[in-house]
Amino acid sequence: CIGVLLIPVIGLTLLPIQENRRWLSRKEVYLSFFIALMIFSPVICWNITHDFVSFRFQLGHGLNNDGIPLYSLGNFIVTQPLILSPPVSLIIFASIFITGLISLKKRDDRFLLLFLSGFVPIIFFGLISIKSRIEPYWAIEAYPAMVISIPIICRWLIQKNGFFLKKMVKPSLLGLGALSLVLNISAFATPGNS
């Protein structure tokens, strides 16, 4: 269900920027939406025949107003770095933040899309956590974009700062990025995790 957050991510990439709005006149955008709808249609059909039970569960589970505002928000903020480990999460969050700064500085849509893919889920679930008790892993959709941003930031830093970063920082960041990717994959592959 969290895949629905791709819609505002793509919307925020296309709509505010005049040059990007030209994509809205291309058939590929609508074709991709149609393909995604066809892939998701068995879930919709099953819910139609079962009184929308899974949709009601997900909405009720995520919007249940059972949180204590400051505690729930604080719990969400504190648990995010613990999902992978604080050092890895620090690098990941720093990378996506720098990606956002580069997207503003260079006005590069690729950086903007990457930044929003990491930023929107974190902000969305942070806001939800103010009213509802949520699980820390719900924001995991943000992490692939953050992991992808690590080598991009490494390359950008090396271009700016040269030899020291190339010899010391790049291997460290790439190693931690690879480790976080492996941990994410193993979390999804472990039986019983959902």
Side-chain angles (χ1 to χ4, degrees):
C1 287
I2 59 176
V4 75
L5 293 177
L6 287 172
I7 295 171
V9 166
I10 293 169
L12 288 169
T13 305
L14 295 181
L15 296 177
I17 302 169
Q18 184 176 357
E19 304 86 58
N20 289 353
R21 287 199 288 271
R22 71 183 190 280
W23 284 98
L24 297 176
S25 64
R26 298 190 59 161
K27 66 181 184 299
E28 289 87 351
V29 174
Y30 303 99
L31 183 60
S32 63
F33 177 77
F34 177 74
I35 292 170
L37 186 61
M38 288 299 99
I39 292 170
F40 192 66
S41 63
V43 176
I44 298 171
C45 292
W46 186 90
N47 272 278
I48 289 171
T49 59
H50 291 82
D51 196 29
F52 295 94
V53 64
S54 72
F55 290 156
R56 286 189 290 109
F57 171 78
Q58 293 297 340
L59 287 173
H61 187 48
L63 303 173
N64 50 20
N65 292 326
D66 66 349
I68 303 167
L70 288 178
Y71 175 80
S72 299
L73 177 60
N75 186 57
F76 174 75
I77 292 170
V78 168
T79 54
Q80 289 310 299
L82 299 178
I83 291 175
L84 299 174
S85 81
V88 173
S89 296
L90 179 64
I91 291 170
I92 289 174
F93 279 96
S95 295
I96 201 69
F97 179 73
I98 294 170
T99 301
L101 293 177
I102 294 173
S103 74
L104 291 174
K105 182 178 179 181
K106 291 190 168 187
R107 298 186 181 277
D108 190 321
D109 302 334
R110 297 169 301 173
F111 284 95
L112 178 62
L113 181 61
L114 190 59
F115 168 70
L116 291 173
S117 297
F119 183 74
V120 168
I122 294 292
I123 293 301
F124 174 79
F125 286 110
L127 292 173
I128 293 294
S129 72
I130 294 172
K131 295 190 73 175
S132 304
R133 184 178 57 83
I134 69 169
E135 301 296 334
Y137 63 85
W138 288 2
I140 201 164
E141 181 184 344
Y143 289 109
M146 293 181 178
V147 170
I148 291 168
S149 69
I150 292 173
I152 294 171
I153 298 308
C154 286
R155 184 170 180 265
W156 181 75
L157 288 172
I158 289 166
Q159 289 173 343
K160 292 286 184 184
N161 298 294
F163 181 79
F164 174 76
L165 284 169
K166 187 173 184 178
K167 293 297 182 183
M168 301 296 293
V169 176
K170 181 180 178 181
S172 301
L173 291 177
L174 289 177
L176 286 170
L179 174 63
S180 66
L181 184 60
V182 168
L183 290 173
N184 267 302
I185 292 170
S186 66
F188 282 116
T190 304
N193 285 355
S194 59

